Amino acid sequence: MAFISIGMNNSRKSIILGVTGSIAAYKAVDLLRLLTSAGHDVRVLQTEASLRFVGELTFQALSGHPVVIDQFDPRSESVFSHIDLASADIMLVAPATAGTIGKMAAGLADNLLLSSYLATKAKVMICPAMNQQMWNHPAVRENIDTLKRRGALIIEPGSGELACGDEGVGRMAEPREIFERVRQHLADVPTSKADVHGDINRSGSLAGVRVLVTAGGTREPIDSVRYITNRSSGRMGMELAEAALDRGARVTIVAANCSTTRIPGITQIDVETAEELETAVESEYESCDVLLMAAAVSDYKVSDIMTMGKIEREESVSNLKLVPTSDIVANLKNNGNGRVRIGFAAEHGEENRERARRKLLDKGLDMIVFNDISRADIGFESSDNEITIMAPGRDDIFVEKTTKRECAERIMDQVETLIA
Ligand code: C5P
């Protein structure tokens, strides 16, 4: 029997499940059951380290295929000789340790799972599992960005109590959530294996919806080398864009000086100043259904920019003149035409929550997302956030501190109710 079952039954897909050495390996057993119960043909690749957590016989019994660990194992020849890695639909790595993520990003191939990753043309989905310090380490962040840039879909870990006793982000996503993401992806995969992020019959809860996201922080030049800006990295906006994409939306992002990597499948327009951002938003607005205005737009710009050259120390800058920029999202309100417009209010201190509510009304928005920027553990330069979602005539929705991705998912849930 050939491994790939396309042609016999289009809903039965071929999935490679890579299991690495984390306590979360036990969750991979549930995940395997969900995948096989849905009729998929799943082959499991385990690393040596994963055997310390779950034995190969468990995966073998549930997948109905031998499990290969050692790439020099003579059995690997018989088990994998007929596997066309290039034709598998999905390669899922769950759990993915920091070590495996690092090796994948570096292109190392010192076990069968890693060499399969390099050989496959399947959609790669990675479910990280690790301690929160490791997850937040710049090396891991960069490796994750590298893998995303190469088209891998990262199913972000959740927050809560970790196996090591710490609290924080790092717990592998739950098998049901991973299964759901696989299902959403497969619903998109045409059997021709065209680019799943292309503009082809996307499905999902936001299929057919055009989402425009702004992200990052604008830069207002003072002279040819200096500018006024803010601490926004663009991460929240990128997470929103990716969450919308994963739900089947057609997504455009207007990125103001974002330090994040581009997401395959999303149209990105790079801008620098508030004025450029305004021009880009105005030109995209007419053809969008939902606008998520997550960018931190400067409220002021310099009136007399020294475009050629640099203001010297001895020159006085005491009369640097600032003039207001236009309030982009507020100005769009009169030609809303049923579009959903969502603003973001980063306010200093909980006591300023009501300022956010005033902005919701003053700017004529359908929804505003408040977060407290006085806290160092959320918001700027953090992978976490804690938000309150406010909408006229609705109860506030409080999302306790969690990953920005999780916040983005909760915001997209509300977007869905607004456009329903
Ligand atoms: O800066 P402020 O707190 O008023 O920002 C609230 C919302 O308004 C944000 O969604 C931001 O993107 C948007 N905004 C804008 N144009 C500005 C300033 C802010 O659209 N000039």
Side-chain angles (χ1 to χ4, degrees):
M1 187 187 83
F3 176 47
I4 299 303
S5 49
I6 292 168
M8 290 188 288
N9 173 359
N10 275 351
S11 63
R12 180 175 162 86
K13 301 291 181 185
S14 58
I15 297 173
I16 301 164
L17 174 61
V19 181
T20 74
S22 153
I23 178 66
Y26 79 91
K27 291 186 181 174
V29 177
D30 277 346
L31 178 60
L32 173 59
R33 287 180 65 97
L34 288 168
L35 294 168
T36 52
S37 301
H40 302 307
D41 189 12
V42 188
R43 304 270 169 161
V44 179
L45 291 173
Q46 281 192 264
T47 61
E48 284 282 344
S50 75
L51 296 173
R52 293 171 181 255
F53 298 95
V54 183
E56 63 196 286
L57 288 179
T58 305
F59 290 113
Q60 187 168 307
L62 294 173
S63 69
H65 297 295
V67 173
V68 186
I69 296 129
D70 178 3
Q71 54 190 335
F72 304 111
D73 179 344
R75 287 182 318 149
S76 73
E77 185 63 15
S78 61
V79 176
F80 275 87
S81 60
H82 59 295
I83 292 180
D84 184 355
L85 281 170
S87 316
D89 293 287
I90 288 183
M91 179 172 184
L92 192 56
V93 186
T97 58
T100 291
I101 287 169
K103 287 179 180 182
M104 287 168 86
L108 300 181
D110 62 4
N111 63 35
L112 191 56
L113 190 157
L114 291 166
S115 43
S116 302
Y117 163 66
L118 293 180
T120 191
K121 285 186 184 164
K123 175 72 182 174
V124 175
M125 295 187 174
I126 299 168
C127 309
M130 66 195 76
N131 163 280
Q132 54 154 348
Q133 304 278 27
M134 295 166 82
W135 176 245
N136 287 320
H137 194 284
V140 174
R141 309 266 24 105
E142 278 170 30
N143 290 334
I144 289 283
D145 282 345
T146 301
L147 294 171
K148 275 187 182 174
R149 205 172 51 243
R150 292 186 193 138
L153 190 140
I154 309 293
I155 302 178
E156 299 266 326
S159 66
E161 195 183 337
L162 304 172
C164 58
D166 280 4
E167 281 275 335
V169 180
R171 235 169 46 175
M172 188 177 90
E174 293 306 313
R176 275 249 152 241
E177 187 196 336
I178 301 169
F179 175 71
E180 188 50 30
R181 301 288 288 280
V182 168
R183 201 189 58 75
Q184 279 173 10
H185 173 77
L186 289 175
D188 262 355
V189 176
T191 46
S192 65
K193 293 211 176 292
D195 177 5
V196 293
H197 290 316
D199 204 14
I200 38 166
N201 300 329
R202 293 180 52 72
S203 65
S205 48
L206 287 178
V209 178
R210 295 156 307 172
V211 173
L212 176 62
V213 183
T214 67
T218 59
R219 280 180 188 167
E220 306 308 323
I222 298 170
D223 59 23
S224 60
V225 290
R226 302 183 181 96
Y227 49 77
I228 300 168
T229 191
N230 57 67
R231 287 167 56 199
S232 177
S233 63
R235 182 128 186 229
M236 191 65 230
M238 287 291 173
E239 297 291 4
L240 286 162
E242 198 171 16
L245 180 78
D246 289 348
R247 291 175 188 226
R250 215 164 83 195
V251 185
T252 299
I253 190 157
V254 180
N257 313 296
C258 290
S259 54
T260 46
T261 47
R262 298 175 97 85
I263 302 168
I266 291 181
T267 305
Q268 181 164 328
I269 304 168
D270 291 308
V271 296
E272 190 174 341
T273 65
E275 214 168 287
E276 286 170 15
L277 190 131
E278 185 175 18
T279 308
V281 168
E282 277 176 1
S283 82
E284 295 298 314
Y285 185 62
E286 285 303 314
S287 53
C288 86
D289 304 300
V290 178
L291 167 66
L292 290 138
M293 197 73 189
V297 186
S298 176
D299 291 323
Y300 289 91
K301 63 181 177 184
V302 177
S303 69
D304 298 309
I305 307 166
M306 186 193 266
T307 45
M308 299 285 282
K310 181 177 159 226
I311 302 171
E312 292 305 333
R313 176 187 269 270
E314 50 279 8
E315 291 177 58
S316 169
V317 286
S318 57
N319 54 1
L320 194 67
K321 197 165 162 242
L322 299 178
V323 290
T325 55
S326 47
D327 192 329
I328 304 165
V329 79
N331 289 345
L332 293 171
K333 84 178 153 201
N334 290 334
N335 51 356
N337 300 336
R339 290 185 190 89
V340 171
R341 284 150 301 119
I342 297 155
F344 289 75
E347 307 292 341
H348 196 273
E350 265 296 319
E351 62 278 15
N352 279 317
R353 173 183 293 267
E354 290 315 306
R355 279 175 68 91
R357 202 178 310 277
R358 271 204 308 280
K359 286 180 186 176
L360 169 70
L361 303 175
D362 292 349
K363 296 184 189 234
L365 301 169
D366 299 288
M367 196 167 101
I368 201 158
V369 180
F370 159 77
N371 75 300
D372 177 0
I373 51 168
S374 68
R375 283 174 53 181
D377 61 330
I378 53 168
F380 293 133
E381 286 136 24
S382 166
S383 53
D384 292 344
N385 216 343
E386 183 170 285
I387 56 168
T388 303
I389 304 171
M390 304 171 175
R394 295 183 179 213
D395 289 339
D396 291 354
I397 296 168
F398 175 62
V399 181
E400 211 179 323
K401 183 184 167 189
T402 183
T403 57
K404 285 186 174 169
R405 176 55 189 245
E406 189 55 31
C407 289
E409 295 291 349
R410 299 294 69 82
I411 294 167
M412 296 319 296
D413 288 346
Q414 293 312 306
V415 168
E416 286 187 15
T417 69
L418 283 176
I419 60 174

